[in-house]
Amino acid sequence: MDERANMRAADVDRQAVADRLREALNEGRLNLHEYDERLQQAYAARTYGELDGLLDDLPSVAPEAKSQLAPRATAADPAVAAGDDSPRRWLAGMWGPWLATSVICTGIWAASQVAAGGFYWNTFWPIWVIGPWGAVCLARTLRSFIDPDHAEDQRRAYREARRDARRDARKDRRDR
């Protein structure tokens, strides 16, 4: 029997396995249930043999240059431009809710003005919702154009938030 399989694993070893399992989940190689089971086993593992068994059916991570998979599409590719990495999608995700809220609030205000019998612009209360939120969106948009690294961080945070929301929704459906 292999001596390494009986050696005690350290916390850093368990964390490395947990990170690889998370990558496999993000790649779609594991479903959420498998990921959860293996993650629990990883943190409960005492030896390298127990940890190795959790990754046996997963391919190792190869550098992109040595990968036999199709190369990742670049931002110049139209398919990628319409995908998650696109600035348009990020902008739509930030400005879309603002626009929808602006239309709804203005519609409510307009309906109340019609019911009151006239339009009184000095009572335009939606400005207190539209104004500050729009200022924040504008500042974030301008910063993303001035500092491309910040824009990439914002897009990454947006993608992670969407991924977390999808994962939570799947978990909620599974728990029902």
Side-chain angles (χ1 to χ4, degrees):
M1 179 158 218
D2 186 15
E3 283 185 39
R4 181 182 179 282
N6 293 326
M7 292 179 67
R8 290 278 193 168
D11 288 340
V12 70
D13 300 318
R14 285 183 276 278
Q15 187 60 47
V17 170
D19 291 343
R20 178 61 191 115
L21 290 171
R22 183 177 33 78
E23 289 173 15
L25 174 69
N26 291 339
E27 293 168 349
R29 298 182 192 281
L30 295 175
N31 65 35
L32 197 55
H33 182 69
E34 292 171 316
Y35 169 74
D36 188 42
E37 283 181 356
R38 291 184 190 204
L39 190 63
Q40 288 176 11
Q41 291 172 3
Y43 285 120
R46 289 179 291 183
T47 64
Y48 284 114
E50 293 171 357
L51 285 177
D52 291 341
L54 299 173
L55 302 176
D56 283 345
D57 62 338
L58 297 174
S60 62
V61 178
E64 193 171 318
K66 293 184 177 184
S67 176
Q68 294 182 3
L69 300 174
R72 178 184 295 192
T74 63
D77 184 356
V80 172
D84 282 348
D85 291 336
S86 114
R88 273 184 290 169
R89 189 170 187 132
W90 176 75
L91 286 171
M94 184 172 55
W95 284 97
W98 176 85
L99 181 61
T101 303
S102 299
V103 168
I104 290 169
C105 288
T106 303
I108 292 169
W109 173 81
S112 69
Q113 295 299 302
V114 168
F119 284 92
Y120 302 102
W121 290 101
N122 60 344
T123 62
F124 187 68
W125 60 263
I127 195 68
W128 298 106
V129 176
I130 297 169
W133 190 359
V136 169
C137 288
L138 181 62
R140 291 181 68 191
T141 301
L142 292 176
R143 183 168 180 198
S144 72
F145 287 119
I146 293 169
D147 185 4
D149 292 334
H150 176 73
E152 180 55 37
D153 292 342
Q154 291 293 314
R155 286 192 291 274
R156 186 176 307 114
Y158 174 70
R159 284 192 310 267
E160 289 173 3
R162 285 184 48 229
R163 186 185 65 231
D164 291 345
R166 284 192 306 264
R167 183 176 36 220
D168 291 345
R170 283 192 303 256
K171 184 179 179 204
D172 289 344
R173 283 193 305 264
R174 190 185 75 221
D175 290 344
R176 288 182 192 171

